[in-house]
Amino acid sequence: MHFNQRGRRPIKVYLCVFVCFLSKACHLELVPDLSTNAFIAALKRFFARRGISAELFCDNATNFVGASRELKAITDLIWNDSGKQQIVDQCSQLGVSFHFIPPRSPHFGGLWESAVKVAKQLLVRSFNSIALNYEELVTAIAQAEVVMNSRPLHPLSSDSNDYEALTPGLFLIGRPLNCMPEPFDEDILKLSATNRWKRIVAVHHAFWRRWSLEYLTLLQERSKWSSVCNNIQPGILVLIGEDKIPPGQWALGRVHQVHPGTDGVVRVVTIKTKSGLYKRNIHKICPLPIGDKE
């Protein structure tokens, strides 16, 4: 990533991504360079804000050896033997057990790799060549973190009148994470205005739009019809694909009634939400990753 300082050339910075194995909550830290000290400083900020972890797992830079000159710099500056030992020593002083995954085994870190993909690819694409200063970049990253931690994971209860879902943010602060209300304007994504605050809002909306669509796509399984799939059942909590929803506000509802066709396959359902009943086809909805078992 790059940020601008007035009258100077853009400066490259890096993003450190922390992921909780239990709640899937994400924490994003901006680091100035690839040095071991910069990583340890980011680790201390993470501990100060989120609490000290019992165990930490990290990928090994030899996964990417030969990929590029920049990735080789990571190996030279952080993941060399002295750098690794310095990180392990710092963590051991706090009672934290630090683990590196085996060399050339990226599949060992699939959980955090998916978070890195979202944080890096979607955030960079959302910038859309926008020149941000350091304060604006930190704000945009913080808002992206809120969006990532707002995704629904599991129904809070099996009550048919409960439309709330468990989110990673609920684990972090004990209540849902909410973004500051900002009106959705399709024109703001084009970013033709010179107002610097609008730049941050544009990045926020662009990231939300990309992430919400991608998350909805991930939940909707696409497979060949080699076997019969179970029909959607009434009462389950589903995520509704709606346009122009404010960032961090997911459209959730419970299936109130199913409408099977002549072949017995349910393709249309009636969904009950806080604002009323809506009829949608099943391609516009998807059950949460872990649905009700009743």
Side-chain angles (χ1 to χ4, degrees):
M1 297 182 181
H2 296 80
F3 74 89
N4 273 1
Q5 290 181 320
R6 183 172 299 179
R8 300 182 182 180
R9 295 179 59 185
I11 299 175
K12 179 179 288 189
V13 292
Y14 302 86
L15 198 62
C16 187
V17 181
F18 298 90
V19 183
C20 175
F21 279 21
L22 178 62
S23 65
K24 309 301 187 295
C26 301
H27 179 92
L28 307 180
E29 280 290 339
L30 202 63
V31 292
D33 52 50
L34 297 175
S35 65
T36 303
N37 290 334
F39 175 75
I40 292 176
L43 197 59
K44 289 182 177 180
R45 293 194 298 272
F46 169 70
F47 286 159
R49 294 170 183 165
R50 304 298 187 190
I52 298 178
S53 304
E55 291 186 292
L56 283 173
F57 294 83
C58 183
D59 59 4
N60 198 309
T62 52
N63 296 333
F64 313 103
V65 168
S68 71
R69 185 178 307 171
E70 179 178 324
L71 293 174
K72 185 177 183 301
I74 299 177
T75 306
D76 296 338
L77 293 174
I78 301 180
W79 306 138
N80 54 40
D81 292 338
S82 61
K84 286 183 179 180
Q85 191 59 47
Q86 186 178 351
I87 294 171
V88 171
D89 291 343
Q90 287 283 337
C91 290
S92 62
Q93 294 176 10
L94 300 173
V96 179
S97 179
F98 201 98
H99 307 276
F100 291 95
I101 65 174
R104 304 185 186 277
S105 305
H107 58 284
F108 275 58
L111 182 62
W112 63 71
E113 289 296 343
S114 60
V116 169
K117 175 184 176 182
V118 172
K120 182 177 68 174
Q121 293 186 3
L122 295 188
L123 195 56
V124 170
R125 292 172 186 171
S126 302
F127 287 157
N128 195 23
S129 302
I130 302 172
L132 302 176
N133 60 33
Y134 183 80
E135 181 180 4
E136 293 165 347
L137 183 58
V138 170
T139 303
I141 289 174
Q143 290 180 324
E145 180 185 294
V146 171
V147 168
M148 293 175 66
N149 288 329
S150 69
R151 66 191 188 278
L153 299 175
H154 187 280
L156 276 179
S157 71
S158 58
D159 186 353
S160 60
N161 295 318
D162 185 6
Y163 308 107
E164 299 297 329
L166 189 64
T167 66
L170 199 61
F171 285 99
L172 295 176
I173 64 173
R175 57 184 175 82
L177 290 169
N178 296 318
C179 304
M180 293 181 62
E182 295 166 337
F184 182 88
D185 185 0
E186 196 71 33
D187 293 334
I188 201 171
L189 298 177
K190 301 176 183 177
L191 198 67
S192 58
T194 57
N195 188 305
R196 301 196 68 86
W197 175 248
K198 288 185 178 181
R199 299 182 178 213
I200 304 176
V201 176
V203 172
H204 189 197
H205 279 286
F207 184 88
W208 161 251
R209 185 178 64 172
R210 292 176 181 272
W211 169 228
S212 59
L213 289 176
E214 180 168 308
Y215 187 63
L216 188 66
T217 303
L218 289 174
L219 296 184
Q220 291 175 324
E221 296 183 359
R222 293 288 186 266
S223 58
K224 293 184 178 180
W225 293 358
S226 57
S227 61
V228 178
C229 298
N230 295 328
N231 283 326
I232 292 180
Q233 300 298 320
I236 67 171
L237 190 67
V238 295
L239 182 60
I240 309 170
E242 296 287 355
D243 299 327
K244 299 184 178 180
I245 296 179
Q249 304 297 316
W250 299 85
L252 296 170
R254 289 192 178 269
V255 177
H256 179 68
Q257 187 178 2
V258 297
H259 307 283
T262 56
D263 56 357
V265 177
V266 175
R267 297 184 178 87
V268 179
V269 296
T270 298
I271 304 171
K272 185 179 181 182
T273 68
K274 292 180 179 179
S275 56
L277 297 174
Y278 299 92
K279 185 175 288 187
R280 294 289 186 272
N281 70 74
I282 60 173
H283 299 293
K284 289 292 184 180
I285 66 171
C286 55
L288 296 187
I290 306 176
D292 292 329
K293 303 300 182 183
E294 292 80 16

